[in-house]
């Protein structure tokens, strides 16, 4: 009987030990949500945990209202998919603990994605916080927060129009890294609403009101021992890579770990629309630094890379990889710019080509960003290099224009619409056509077929090319010289010209003189019956348009040349 009790006790202890080993060991996570209808949202919980954990952690999110007139709502989640996040998974002859429970590799993780739906249309409160909490972090954290709890959150304001969706974040890749190497982590968030994102380092939380505890001298801002520790603002320049640097715009984190450690880094991501904050959330990330065998990471370089492109115009450049250890390199990208093409070539160190033609709807002051990763095939821990490429889409200027035959070889060129209004303009073409005015007239010397163009400038450029058939016809308005009741002399003139007319046949009530640039440079009313003196008044030499109109709505026009 005692022997049976002893065996039962051993089995019970083994069962307890099994349950302890089955604890999830959370290594990081974040929450995102996407608008699927009026006040309805699809919510995802992303969790990084030890491989082969029993997944006993909570699958419930809590939606907490900001106002007291509403009550918290529970959101039940279902597992959607999972993926191994161990760097040894592609190494031949090296075991992978994610698929082999007998493997003794010290670190192996999987990323799990859970999903649920919440309908807030019947809720009176606009502002909510989606949160998730679990009791146990990864036990091997060396900088303090081992076995502490983890708390994740994301805020939402359902009154924002159009309804808001969070940015998409890159997967939990490259969690295990080599000490002594320059490292760059990129969130590379793509916001579907075009909102601006601001990143900052914050303390990871074990509960809504409690920050995790770091062992001295570490903290949220200095979560591990990096080159230059504890000074975070030292210059980051390879190969020293000193300091601990976060780019608040791209979310890129750059540092060089100097010893084997396991630590927690936590980001806050704030979202702004038209300079108004519309939400925030945190991304909790555990990183492992190991002492590795000598293996230099692959390199990335690009040719003809411009960080801006004009709408409607193509941007294309090549990205080259290399590896000084003669390892084979694999190039991948995150698809961060929808509609763009990323084509990878063949070979040990392949070249990739990026190509994109943005539309007018893609114009934004917020850069589009995509990430490229180069990974070598060294084992047991391959090295990798990541690089982001920001591209800002600017406005290509556009215009509508018209060319009007004024008669006797005189033509008016005029821009009727231009966007943006600040764009510069330059007319040019055959027969010495040249002007930077939106409207001007040009006197052709003979009938001909001439080519001209309108060039628009600014941050971007655009050129319209066109052809004009010049005709020396009267046009819609009869010239003065064909009217026997009207005479203009001298023409050409030096100081002034005199306009004589039969006051009974045609008595003008208004006379205008128009410059070659299309500007009205003189305007007269009839004072003396039968004649009008047209003063030059310092006008430059050139061909001007003289336009007359009487009180019966009739008009005549002709050229006036000042020598």
């Amino acid at each position: 009987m005692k022997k049976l009790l002893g065996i039962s006790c051993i089995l019970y202890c083994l069962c307890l030990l099994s349950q302890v080993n089955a604890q999830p060991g959370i290594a990081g996570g974040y929450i995102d949500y996407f608008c699927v209808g009026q006040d309805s949202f699809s919510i995802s919980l992303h969790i990084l945990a030890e491989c082969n954990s029993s997944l006993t952690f909570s699958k419930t999110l809590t939606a907490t209202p900001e106002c007291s007139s509403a009550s918290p709502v529970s959101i039940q989640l279902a597992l959607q998919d999972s993926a191994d996040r161990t760097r040894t998974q592609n190494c031949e002859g090296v075991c992978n603990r994610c698929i082999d429970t007998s493997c003794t590799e010290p670190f192996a993780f999987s990323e799990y994605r859970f999903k649920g739906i919440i309908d807030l249309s019947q809720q009176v409160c606009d502002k909510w916080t989606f949160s998730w909490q679990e009791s146990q972090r990864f036990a091997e954290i060396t900088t303090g927060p081992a076995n502490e709890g983890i708390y994740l959150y994301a805020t939402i304001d359902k009154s924002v129009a159009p309804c808001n969706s969070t940015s998409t974040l890159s997967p939990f890749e490259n969690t295990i890294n080599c000490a002594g190497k320059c490292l760059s982590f990129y969130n590379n968030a793509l916001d579907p609403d075009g909102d601006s994102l601001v990143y900052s380092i914050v303390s990871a939380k074990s509960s809504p009101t409690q920050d995790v505890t770091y062992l001295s001298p570490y903290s949220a801002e200095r979560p591990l021992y990096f080159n230059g520790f504890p000074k975070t603002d030292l210059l980051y320049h390879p190969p020293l890579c000193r300091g601990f640097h976060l780019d608040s715009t791209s979310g890129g984190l750059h540092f060089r770990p100097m010893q084997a450690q396991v630590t927690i880094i936590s980001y806050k991501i704030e979202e702004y629309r038209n300079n108004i904050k519309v939400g925030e959330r945190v991304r909790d990330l555990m990183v492992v630094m190991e002492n590795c065998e000598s293996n230099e990471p692959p390199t990335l370089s690009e040719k003809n890379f411009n960080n801006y492109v004009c709408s409607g115009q193509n941007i294309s450049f090549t990205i080259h990889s290399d590896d000084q250890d003669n390892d084979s390199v694999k190039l991948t990208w995150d698809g961060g710019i929808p509609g763009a093409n990323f084509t990878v070539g063949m070979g040990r160190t392949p070249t990739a080509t990026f190509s994109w033609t943005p539309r007018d709807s893609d114009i934004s002051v917020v850069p589009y960003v995509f990430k490229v990763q180069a990974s070598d095939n060294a084992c047991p821990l391959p090295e990798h290099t990541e690089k982001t490429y920001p591209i800002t889409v600017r406005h290509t200027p556009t215009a509508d224009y018209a060319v009007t035959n004024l008669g006797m070889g005189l033509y008016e060129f005029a821009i009727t619409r231009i966007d943006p209004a600040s764009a510069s303009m330059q007319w040019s073409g055959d027969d010495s056509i040249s002007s930077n005015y939106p409207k001007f007239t040009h006197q052709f010397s003979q009938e001909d077929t001439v080519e001209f163009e309108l060039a628009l400038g600014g941050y971007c450029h655009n050129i319209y090319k066109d052809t004009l058939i010049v005709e020396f016809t009267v046009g819609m308005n009869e010239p003065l010289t064909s009217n026997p009741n009207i005479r203009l002399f001298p023409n050409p003139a030096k100081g002034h010209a005199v306009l004589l007319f039969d006051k009974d046949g045609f008595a003008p009530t208004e006379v205008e003189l128009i410059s070659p640039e299309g500007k009205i440079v003189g305007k007269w009313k009839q004072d003396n019956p039968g004649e009008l003196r047209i003063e030059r008044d310092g006008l430059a030499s050139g061909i001007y348009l003289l336009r007359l109109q009487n009180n019966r709505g009739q008009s005549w026009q002709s050229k006036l040349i000042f020598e």
Side-chain angles (χ1 to χ4, degrees):
M1 185 67 176
K2 290 182 178 179
K3 183 179 288 186
L4 290 175
L5 287 174
I7 294 173
S8 298
C9 183
I10 292 172
L11 292 174
Y12 178 72
C13 291
L14 289 174
C15 181
L16 286 178
L17 182 60
S18 174
Q19 290 178 5
V20 170
N21 289 336
Q23 290 297 314
I26 306 298
Y30 64 92
I31 297 169
D32 57 27
Y33 58 82
F34 299 91
C35 177
V36 293
Q38 184 62 39
D39 295 336
S40 293
F41 300 89
S42 172
I43 305 176
S44 294
L45 171 66
H46 300 256
I47 295 297
L48 185 69
E50 290 181 276
C51 287
N52 301 309
S53 67
S54 63
L55 301 184
T56 57
F57 47 79
S58 171
K59 301 173 186 65
T60 302
L61 283 181
T62 301
T64 305
E66 184 177 287
C67 56
S68 58
S69 57
S71 300
V73 178
S74 294
I75 309 165
Q76 299 304 314
L77 306 176
L79 179 64
Q80 294 296 297
D81 49 51
S82 63
D84 292 350
R85 299 302 183 201
T86 172
R87 293 181 67 182
T88 62
Q89 63 192 40
N90 297 318
C91 286
E92 187 175 332
V94 179
C95 65
N96 179 357
R97 191 151 57 88
C98 285
I99 58 178
D100 180 4
T101 56
S102 65
C103 180
T104 57
E105 281 292 316
F107 301 109
F109 304 99
S110 289
E111 181 175 348
Y112 304 93
R113 184 171 68 95
F114 300 87
K115 186 178 179 181
I117 299 290
I118 186 171
D119 183 357
L120 297 176
S121 59
Q122 303 303 313
Q123 300 291 338
V124 295
C125 195
D126 286 332
K127 296 183 178 181
W128 294 74
T129 298
F130 302 139
S131 62
W132 179 84
Q133 188 171 355
E134 184 53 69
S135 60
Q136 189 169 351
R137 290 181 181 269
F138 188 61
E140 304 299 324
I141 296 172
T142 61
T143 55
N147 294 317
E148 291 192 15
I150 179 173
Y151 174 79
L152 306 173
Y153 74 90
T155 65
I156 189 171
D157 184 348
K158 70 186 185 74
S159 67
V160 172
C163 68
N164 190 45
S165 297
T166 57
S167 56
T168 57
L169 297 175
S170 56
F172 286 102
E173 296 178 325
N174 309 317
T175 301
I176 306 172
N177 299 272
C178 294
K181 302 294 178 65
C182 301
L183 295 180
S184 293
F185 291 93
Y186 291 96
N187 284 284
N188 195 27
L190 177 65
D191 192 278
D193 307 315
D195 298 330
S196 300
L197 305 177
V198 177
Y199 297 85
S200 58
I201 295 290
V202 296
S203 178
K205 288 186 172 293
S206 57
S207 73
T209 58
Q210 184 66 44
D211 294 341
V212 298
T213 304
Y214 285 90
L215 297 174
S216 180
Y218 303 112
S219 64
E221 295 76 19
R222 299 168 178 81
L224 78 168
Y225 193 81
F226 52 83
N227 193 21
F229 187 92
K231 296 181 179 180
T232 61
D233 57 351
L234 298 175
L235 288 178
Y236 181 88
H237 186 75
L240 294 179
C241 304
R242 298 187 300 172
F244 191 78
H245 303 271
L246 175 70
D247 188 318
S248 62
T249 302
S250 70
L253 183 63
H254 312 280
F255 61 98
R256 181 185 176 189
M258 299 305 292
Q259 64 186 38
Q261 284 181 301
V262 182
T263 192
I264 295 294
I265 301 174
S266 183
Y267 300 85
K268 180 168 69 173
I269 308 171
E270 297 173 284
E271 190 174 353
Y272 290 84
R273 185 177 301 176
N274 299 322
N275 295 321
I276 299 174
K277 186 174 178 179
V278 296
E280 72 174 48
R281 57 181 170 150
V282 293
R283 185 181 197 183
D284 194 298
L285 175 64
M286 189 191 80
V287 291
V288 178
M289 307 302 169
E290 287 190 331
N291 291 321
C292 306
E293 296 181 4
S294 177
N295 177 34
E296 292 301 318
T299 59
L300 288 171
S301 62
E302 65 286 323
K303 291 183 178 180
N304 303 320
F305 168 60
N306 292 319
N307 60 2
Y308 75 89
V309 63
C310 301
S311 60
Q313 300 179 15
N314 180 263
I315 180 173
S316 179
F317 58 91
T318 55
I319 300 172
H320 300 265
S321 67
D322 199 3
D323 190 284
Q324 70 179 56
D325 300 317
N326 292 321
D327 296 324
S328 294
V329 178
K330 179 182 178 181
L331 287 182
T332 58
W333 82 311
D334 63 350
I337 301 183
N341 293 317
F342 188 82
T343 306
V344 180
M346 305 295 290
R348 182 181 64 83
T349 54
T351 294
T353 301
F354 173 85
S355 180
W356 184 36
T357 303
R359 302 160 299 178
D360 287 344
S361 58
D362 295 319
I363 296 170
S364 174
V365 296
V366 179
Y368 295 83
V369 181
F370 71 93
K371 179 180 71 175
V372 176
Q373 177 173 290
S375 303
D376 66 24
N377 64 343
C379 284
L381 284 179
E383 278 290 348
H384 71 276
T385 297
E386 294 181 344
K387 193 168 185 178
T388 58
Y389 298 86
I391 300 175
T392 302
V393 181
R394 292 175 170 171
H395 193 168
T396 297
T398 59
D400 296 329
Y401 62 90
V403 181
T404 304
N405 183 0
L406 301 179
M408 302 303 292
L410 186 64
Y411 282 78
E412 179 185 76
F413 295 75
I415 294 176
T416 57
R417 180 198 63 85
I418 188 168
D419 185 27
S422 59
S424 63
M425 64 200 74
Q426 179 64 53
W427 301 86
S428 62
D430 297 341
D431 199 63
S432 301
I433 296 175
S434 179
S435 178
N436 56 5
Y437 289 94
K439 181 188 293 187
F440 71 100
T441 58
H442 182 79
Q443 177 64 53
F444 291 95
S445 58
Q446 62 183 6
E447 291 188 342
D448 199 356
T449 298
V450 299
E451 295 181 350
F452 69 93
E453 64 181 41
L454 171 61
L456 305 177
Y459 285 119
C460 298
H461 302 273
N462 194 12
I463 296 178
Y464 294 93
K465 295 186 177 182
D466 210 337
T467 300
L468 174 66
I469 300 176
V470 177
E471 298 176 339
F472 274 68
T473 58
V474 171
M476 295 181 61
N477 297 313
E478 184 181 6
L480 291 175
T481 52
S482 67
N483 191 325
N485 297 317
I486 302 173
R487 287 193 302 141
L488 177 64
F489 69 93
N491 192 11
K494 291 185 177 181
H496 70 274
V498 176
L499 182 65
L500 297 178
F501 48 86
D502 184 345
K503 63 180 180 179
D504 296 326
F506 181 83
T509 57
E510 186 174 84
V511 178
E512 292 179 336
L513 188 64
I514 301 171
S515 72
E517 293 79 27
K519 293 184 177 181
I520 298 176
V521 294
K523 184 179 288 188
W524 298 269
K525 297 287 186 180
Q526 179 189 3
D527 294 325
N528 300 320
E531 72 176 61
L532 182 65
R533 185 182 175 94
I534 308 298
E535 296 290 350
R536 182 169 183 172
D537 289 338
L539 293 175
S541 299
I543 302 173
Y544 293 78
L545 177 67
L546 190 65
R547 183 178 294 163
L548 288 70
Q549 184 171 335
N550 64 13
N551 56 13
R552 295 192 296 273
Q554 297 173 313
S555 63
W556 284 263
Q557 60 191 25
S558 183
K559 294 180 293 184
L560 172 57
I561 302 174
F562 283 125
E563 294 180 332

